[in-house]
Amino acid sequence: MLPFQRVGRAHPTAAAPSMLEAGGGAIVNISSLVGRVAGRGWAAYGTAKAALSHYTRLAALVLAPRIRVNAIEPGSIATSALDGASTPEIIEKLESAIPLRRMGDPEHIAATVLYLVSPAGAYVTGKILEVDGGSQLPPPAFDRRTCTPYGSMDQPNPPRARHSRRSGMPGGPRCPAPGA
């Protein structure tokens, strides 16, 4: 068994009795975006993280109302885990796929943990918060700048795109109806 699998399973179970004696608390598990998306070479890690996310929801039900249990799913975070496996070209490609056009910092994960354990997060339990710079947002269905639907001759069709006549964005341009 890998260390992340042991910690993911044991942490909530080990902490709960002492937290209940103290009157309650909050548990935050660190899952991963890889637990929700398929990718070659990530079968064991992705499966373990998907299980941890599901376990988080189950533990939230079991331990409520005195203990809140949530998880964070980090996306691409600039940590030492990327040092040996990434070239500047790979980092550039990763960042270009993230809507915020940059990788996250460990401080973003720490701030999310602080939110979840603070009074500000007191009404949040059983949730998996994605801290990924928007990398799992669906692609736009319509190019607001040109009023061109993706999938036309000018633009490649991104996956999961839905076509509409308008940009759908407040203050965005209204595109004319086809044939108008």
Side-chain angles (χ1 to χ4, degrees):
M1 183 177 295
L2 299 172
F4 60 82
Q5 292 168 313
R6 281 195 304 269
V7 171
R9 236 188 18 234
H11 175 66
T13 319
S18 59
M19 293 175 92
L20 288 169
E21 283 179 26
I27 295 170
V28 179
N29 293 314
I30 305 297
S31 186
S32 175
L33 180 68
V34 177
R36 276 190 306 110
V37 297
R40 288 189 184 274
W42 294 99
Y45 181 78
T47 301
K49 292 302 187 172
L52 178 60
S53 294
H54 190 64
Y55 181 80
T56 297
R57 290 185 285 273
L58 294 172
L61 282 172
V62 170
L63 297 173
R66 295 176 51 206
I67 297 176
R68 296 178 297 107
V69 185
N70 294 291
I72 297 171
E73 279 185 353
S76 296
I77 305 297
T79 65
S80 60
L82 295 176
D83 288 349
S86 301
T87 64
E89 294 80 25
I90 292 173
I91 298 295
E92 186 177 320
K93 187 175 180 178
L94 274 172
E95 289 178 336
S96 70
I98 300 169
L100 292 182
R101 299 293 185 252
R102 61 188 169 84
M103 294 190 19
D105 294 321
E107 290 79 15
H108 296 126
I109 304 306
T112 307
V113 171
L114 287 174
Y115 161 71
L116 288 171
V117 301
S118 75
Y123 198 61
V124 180
T125 194
K127 298 300 175 191
I128 316 300
L129 273 68
E130 301 165 10
V131 182
D132 63 2
S135 64
Q136 291 300 295
L137 291 172
F142 214 80
D143 188 330
R144 295 181 65 212
R145 298 164 295 174
T146 64
C147 292
T148 307
Y150 288 103
S152 70
M153 296 299 287
D154 301 341
Q155 306 246 353
N157 191 18
R160 297 175 287 155
R162 289 182 292 162
H163 301 285
S164 65
R165 292 186 304 123
R166 302 185 306 164
S167 68
M169 300 295 291
R174 294 232 185 251
C175 299

